[in-house]
Amino acid sequence: MPAPSLVERDPQVAPDELVGAMVPPPHFDAVRFDTYAPNPDEPSQAEAVAACAEFAGRIGAGGERKGWLGSLFGKRDSGPAPGLYLDGGFGVGKTHLLASLWHAVPGPKAFGTFVEVTNLVGALGFVETVRRLGGHRLLAIDEFELDDPGDTMLVGRLIKELTEAGVAVAATSNTLPDKLGEGRFAAADFLREIQKLAARFEVVRVDGPDYRHRGLPDAPDPMGDDELVARAEATPGSTLDDFGALCAKLAKVHPSRYGRLLDGVTAVHLKGVHAAPDQSVALRLVALGDRLYDRDIPVAVSGQPLSELFTEEMLTGGYRKKYLRAVSRLVALSR
């Protein structure tokens, strides 16, 4: 029997489901601070664990939300920053630490990627989003990005409103908060907005090599088409798609629904993989790769290797770190 296709799926998420679904993805269900194994050659990793645990303790203490958080954008007394920002390269465990922080804090709380947070505002409206998240103790934002001026203003305003309501904010990114947007749009025009964000985050650096590839072999070579099809048909719950058709499908699905697109899938098989033809396609593949990694879904391909998804030009541009993270995660899944 032919394997089903992702292209045939029509993922839908009702607005009322969105807030309830803001929890760490399955890959990070069981992570805790004590399951993070700091690299002894990278002292910043152990320091990051301690900083996250201390931040979680401040939130969990309760009764101090208004006092110690203050206003992210306004004037505040000296003391702990209202936000925690984990900065470092890909594959150093930042999402592990962010999810551990989320698990350590009593609810109500929310965890989502940057694109999921912005989509939440689009689905519910700004006022309703603030109302629903305003009573939370913590908003954890993974993969924090400011890819365009509109997102800069939106996220800035949202964080301002939430922190004024006493919500702690923790985030991860591969880019320091005062550098967000660099190389992607006229960041100088929005420097004031970016600096307002940066000034109120305690930045914690997490250094080290990509743990996903420490001592591991290279990704397997692509399969032949016939072998790929046979494997897909023999694997219960797997899908099989033409790579070009899947790229076209992703253009019609909001990235916040990519996770729902993968519900129940045990393995993904992609036929005829080739380099992304443009930046828009490439960024959608990054988002899909992140959701595959979140769910530990293996990936098998024919055509070009997954390490060649992004062109040399893309890998030297403003989204370089996003693309490298995606390659790291997809190659790990292909093993």
Side-chain angles (χ1 to χ4, degrees):
M1 178 183 295
S5 165
L6 293 175
V7 169
E8 297 167 352
R9 294 184 165 211
D10 183 26
Q12 298 294 329
V13 184
D16 285 343
E17 294 181 71
L18 293 172
V19 175
M22 294 185 72
V23 298
H27 183 82
F28 300 98
D29 277 346
V31 301
R32 300 294 186 273
F33 291 131
D34 60 4
T35 65
Y36 182 91
N39 185 335
D41 296 326
E42 301 290 346
S44 68
Q45 294 188 6
E47 293 166 3
V49 175
C52 290
E54 193 270 340
F55 189 75
R58 295 208 307 265
I59 302 170
E64 302 177 17
R65 297 173 70 221
K66 297 284 186 180
W68 77 266
L69 284 172
S71 168
L72 181 67
F73 283 73
K75 194 174 180 180
R76 73 177 164 88
D77 297 331
S78 59
L84 183 73
Y85 197 98
L86 298 174
D87 174 71
F90 49 89
V92 295
K94 299 188 301 299
T95 303
H96 182 136
L97 290 173
L98 187 69
S100 299
L101 174 72
W102 187 91
H103 286 300
V105 173
K109 54 193 176 181
F111 182 109
T113 64
F114 182 82
V115 70
E116 288 168 343
V117 172
T118 55
N119 180 62
L120 182 69
V121 179
L124 300 181
F126 187 86
V127 173
E128 181 64 9
T129 300
V130 172
R131 186 186 74 79
R132 294 203 186 195
L133 297 181
H136 283 41
R137 287 177 175 267
L138 170 69
L139 172 61
I141 306 175
D142 199 23
E143 304 158 19
F144 198 104
E145 296 287 354
L146 296 178
D147 290 342
D148 61 57
D151 284 348
T152 305
M153 304 299 286
L154 176 66
V155 173
R157 185 180 168 209
L158 179 65
I159 292 178
K160 175 182 184 295
E161 294 286 339
L162 292 178
T163 53
E164 287 181 346
V167 182
V169 178
T172 72
S173 182
N174 297 319
T175 309
L176 286 166
D178 63 343
K179 303 295 184 183
L180 286 166
E182 248 182 32
R184 301 171 198 176
F185 59 85
D189 296 341
F190 296 89
L191 187 58
R192 183 168 57 185
E193 302 302 327
I194 295 169
Q195 287 177 337
K196 285 178 182 177
L197 286 169
R200 300 304 180 180
F201 276 106
E202 174 190 354
V203 177
V204 175
R205 181 75 189 175
V206 190
D207 294 309
D210 182 354
Y211 78 91
R212 285 183 285 268
H213 301 286
R214 261 185 240 154
L216 294 174
D218 293 335
D221 291 332
M223 300 178 178
D225 286 346
D226 291 344
E227 181 186 2
L228 185 78
V229 171
R231 176 168 163 173
E233 292 176 349
T235 306
S238 71
T239 60
L240 173 65
D241 286 273
D242 175 78
F243 182 71
L246 180 60
C247 290
K249 172 71 174 184
L250 294 179
K252 301 175 183 177
V253 178
H254 192 279
S256 64
R257 288 188 278 148
Y258 288 2
R260 182 61 57 90
L261 184 71
L262 298 168
D263 279 356
V265 174
T266 62
V268 166
H269 299 77
L270 301 176
K271 186 163 62 172
V273 167
H274 55 78
D278 57 52
Q279 201 94 264
S280 296
V281 173
L283 291 172
R284 293 185 197 111
L285 291 172
V286 169
L288 180 67
D290 287 337
R291 303 295 75 79
L292 288 165
Y293 184 77
D294 289 344
R295 289 156 178 77
D296 293 316
I297 298 174
V299 179
V301 305
S302 68
Q304 293 180 225
L306 288 167
S307 56
E308 297 178 11
L309 266 183
F310 309 108
T311 65
E312 286 299 319
E313 182 180 3
M314 291 174 182
L315 292 175
T316 57
Y319 297 103
R320 176 178 181 273
K321 290 183 179 179
K322 272 192 171 186
Y323 297 144
L324 291 176
R325 183 189 73 224
V327 168
S328 169
R329 290 181 164 187
L330 288 168
V331 167
L333 291 173
S334 73
R335 295 200 181 95

